[in-house]
Amino acid sequence: MMKFQWTKLNAWTTAGVLAVVGAVGVGSASLSPMHAHAQVSTVRGLPDFADLAEQVGPSVVNIRTLEKVSSQPTAGAMDEDMLEFFKRFGLPVPNIPKGQRPNRRQQQPDEEQPTGLGSGFILSSDGYVMTNAHVVEGADEVMVTLTDKREFKAKIIGYDKRSDVAVVKIDATGLPAVKIGDVSRLRVGEWVMAIGSPFGLENTVTAGIVSAKQRDTGDYLPFIQTDVAINPGNSGGPLINLRGEVVGINSQIYSRSGGFMGISFSIPIDEAIRVSDQLRATGHVTRGRIGVQIGSVTKDVADSLGLPKQQGALVTGVEAGAPADKAGIQAGDVITRFDGKAVERISDLPRMVGNTKPGTHSTVTVFRRGQTKDLSVTVALIEPDDSVASPSQSEPKAKASPAAQKLGLVVSSLSDAQRQKLKIKGGVRVDAATDAAARAGLREGDVILAVANTEVSSLKDFEAAIGQADKSKAINVRYRRGEWEQYALIRPAR
């Protein structure tokens, strides 16, 4: 089976660039922008992108990044040939301290060396330029070249790695800014065009159609998928509709070689503008958080919870003291709506919460034990995850009951001191987790709070809940690990 990988279009070095020959098909008739949404049956030829390229081309820039390097060798430095491999094939370069980057013999101390090329476009006439975060991240100097060959040293206003959006500023006025389009009007099958510097070839124009919208690739944003030819060096360049409006920023490709294979992805411009506005105002991006870990609602999850359809985001963990905890959200809940907007899939929730201003009072709709509840939550400011200590593991072990053995669990009662420390009223402590329980992710020290949608306050409750559970289905378990409440499905061996 062939393996594919998501590839960010990292800055491309100009060494070893091969000549590229392209062919352009010409249709028998041209389509004007107002006919961009005509039905297939009325299309008699391909659109002519020449006027569009002339119109938007001057707003697209070439970005060159430089980094200071030292001539002193450093132990553990990455081999220069290996780093060149990452750059040449457009692969994200590993996070290596600057002092450990490879050193060329002829370099002088603190000499600035080119690290690659990317693209960008002019946001405003006074010199603000948008590009990708991975184009400028780690650069000591950023040079911006306009289509009229003027070159400027740019100041990095800010970049956001989560969305891969960056804003830089050059000291110039009267620049031709792009027009921002409405992504909600973008349709699958619509013609779009890209301009950028693939492999360092400046002002290269490519075209194709929108293949899909709201495409999830594991990143924070939903992407626009196209078949427009995008290659290393196109990073940060604009995706343009037939009205001459920017609808996205070219960011990633789906490839097994690092080069274009017919699928490319762009950041929706509305999301990018939301980020760039914050970067221009404060230099950084603030996002909301409610303190939950989430998972996909699979068929097993829906069946075990009695959820009518596979929809929403499954709460697999709740951070103690976080907004979700204070609002009463529990591990095992399925969040189906946030502020009245439907959560169709797991990736919808982080975007909705992240785009909510910290301090906002929001309504979260959850599905719990066959019922829907509306809970009020106050969104907090996102912060890095902190490691949490596990509950004490020095308590004496207990023997596994027959019911618990079927799940691979050995559990014991909690002492009053343990309950007080964890600030819980009930539950049983996991003394050992093997087989099905281990496969579900449970481990020694976890505290089980509920089994098969039934609260557990004692060993007796635990045994009763297991006894009544439908053994033909996966058994859902809500448990506490450190400061987090979490959720798992145990699939008993048949």
Side-chain angles (χ1 to χ4, degrees):
M1 180 180 294
M2 292 184 177
K3 298 180 71 175
F4 290 83
Q5 64 184 4
W6 300 110
T7 304
K8 285 187 175 180
L9 303 178
N10 278 44
W12 178 259
T13 54
T14 56
V17 175
L18 300 178
V20 178
V21 179
V24 178
V26 180
S28 58
S30 298
L31 295 180
S32 66
M34 70 176 60
H35 293 118
H37 301 319
Q39 295 182 356
V40 175
S41 60
T42 63
V43 176
R44 300 185 183 281
L46 298 177
D48 185 350
F49 293 97
D51 291 340
L52 204 58
E54 287 184 7
Q55 174 189 338
V56 185
S59 302
V60 182
V61 303
N62 174 260
I63 295 179
R64 179 166 49 92
T65 57
L66 305 172
E67 185 176 309
K68 292 180 180 179
V69 295
S70 171
S71 63
Q72 300 300 318
T74 305
M78 173 181 273
D79 179 76
E80 181 178 340
D81 291 337
M82 181 60 70
L83 184 61
E84 180 65 20
F85 169 82
F86 278 99
K87 288 184 176 182
R88 178 157 303 190
F89 289 96
L91 302 175
V93 178
N95 188 19
I96 308 168
K98 292 179 183 178
Q100 295 184 18
R101 294 293 173 91
N103 303 302
R104 294 178 173 85
R105 294 180 181 178
Q106 301 302 320
Q107 288 175 339
Q108 299 300 319
D110 298 326
E111 180 182 357
E112 288 187 335
Q113 294 293 326
T115 57
L117 299 171
S119 305
F121 53 93
I122 300 169
L123 275 180
S124 60
S125 61
D126 57 350
Y128 284 96
V129 173
M130 182 180 286
T131 184
N132 282 144
H134 72 263
V135 170
V136 300
E137 182 186 7
D140 292 304
E141 187 171 305
V142 177
M143 302 301 296
V144 172
T145 305
L146 307 184
T147 54
D148 61 10
K149 303 305 178 182
R150 285 186 294 165
E151 187 171 77
F152 299 86
K153 182 176 180 180
K155 175 184 178 182
I156 300 177
I157 300 301
Y159 60 84
D160 177 52
K161 291 193 289 185
R162 191 180 294 264
S163 61
D164 198 23
V165 173
V167 175
V168 301
K169 175 73 164 61
I170 61 176
D171 187 14
T173 57
L175 300 177
V178 297
K179 295 179 181 178
I180 302 300
D182 183 356
V183 177
S184 66
R185 296 178 60 189
L186 194 65
R187 303 172 65 198
V188 173
E190 179 176 339
W191 282 99
V192 283
M193 182 182 78
I195 306 179
S197 305
F199 305 108
L201 302 171
E202 300 178 11
N203 309 117
T204 297
V205 177
T206 54
I209 62 169
V210 175
S211 305
K213 296 176 62 177
Q214 299 287 320
R215 184 66 80 196
D216 290 316
T217 64
D219 292 66
Y220 190 76
L221 298 174
F223 282 85
I224 301 168
Q225 177 186 332
T226 74
D227 66 354
V228 179
I230 300 295
N231 282 289
N234 274 112
S235 288
L239 184 72
I240 305 154
N241 63 20
L242 288 184
R243 289 179 289 276
E245 301 164 338
V246 174
V247 291
I249 309 175
N250 300 316
S251 176
Q252 297 186 13
I253 55 176
Y254 192 37
S255 174
R256 65 171 183 264
S257 65
F260 178 66
M261 294 188 67
I263 299 178
S264 53
F265 297 91
S266 302
I267 303 165
I269 195 61
D270 55 347
E271 301 281 358
I273 290 296
R274 188 180 295 114
V275 171
S276 71
D277 286 345
Q278 291 193 54
L279 292 176
R280 291 173 64 175
T282 65
H284 63 274
V285 177
T286 57
R287 289 189 174 90
R289 67 183 293 269
I290 59 175
V292 294
Q293 293 175 339
I294 55 175
S296 299
V297 178
T298 62
K299 187 177 185 303
D300 280 347
V301 169
D303 289 345
S304 72
L305 295 175
L307 193 65
K309 65 175 182 176
Q310 293 177 232
Q311 174 196 357
L314 171 68
V315 178
T316 59
V318 180
E319 181 186 357
D325 185 31
K326 295 176 181 177
I329 297 174
Q330 300 177 0
D333 288 346
V334 175
I335 298 177
T336 57
R337 303 185 77 84
F338 184 83
D339 270 343
K341 298 178 181 177
V343 179
E344 296 293 341
R345 65 188 91 181
I346 179 178
S347 55
D348 291 341
L349 185 64
R351 295 165 192 155
M352 292 176 179
V353 177
N355 290 334
T356 303
K357 184 179 180 181
T360 302
H361 300 287
S362 299
T363 300
V364 177
T365 303
V366 302
F367 181 86
R368 179 189 302 167
R369 302 185 189 96
Q371 296 181 341
T372 298
K373 296 185 177 182
D374 285 337
L375 303 173
S376 179
V377 62
T378 302
V379 177
L381 178 68
I382 199 169
E383 57 189 5
D385 293 333
D386 294 321
S387 57
V388 232
S390 297
S392 171
Q393 299 182 9
S394 60
E395 299 300 320
K397 301 293 186 291
K399 292 183 179 180
S401 67
Q405 275 184 329
K406 294 180 180 179
L407 302 182
L409 287 170
V410 178
V411 298
S412 62
S413 299
L414 289 172
S415 67
D416 292 338
Q418 287 175 318
R419 290 174 179 169
Q420 186 175 2
K421 180 179 179 180
L422 294 172
K423 298 179 182 179
I424 56 177
K425 296 180 180 179
V428 294
R429 184 182 186 278
V430 176
D431 293 317
T434 59
D435 301 327
R439 290 193 295 271
L442 273 76
R443 67 189 188 205
E444 181 183 355
D446 292 340
V447 176
I448 295 177
L449 305 174
V451 175
N453 301 321
T454 303
E455 297 290 329
V456 169
S457 59
S458 64
L459 278 174
K460 183 179 179 180
D461 291 343
F462 175 79
E463 296 292 341
I466 293 178
Q468 295 172 7
D470 184 350
K471 305 301 189 301
S472 66
K473 297 181 179 179
I475 298 174
N476 60 73
V477 176
R478 180 164 55 90
Y479 64 98
R480 177 80 171 265
R481 178 177 295 166
E483 297 297 316
W484 284 81
E485 278 193 18
Q486 303 193 44
Y487 178 90
L489 284 180
I490 301 180
R491 297 172 174 83
R494 296 177 181 177

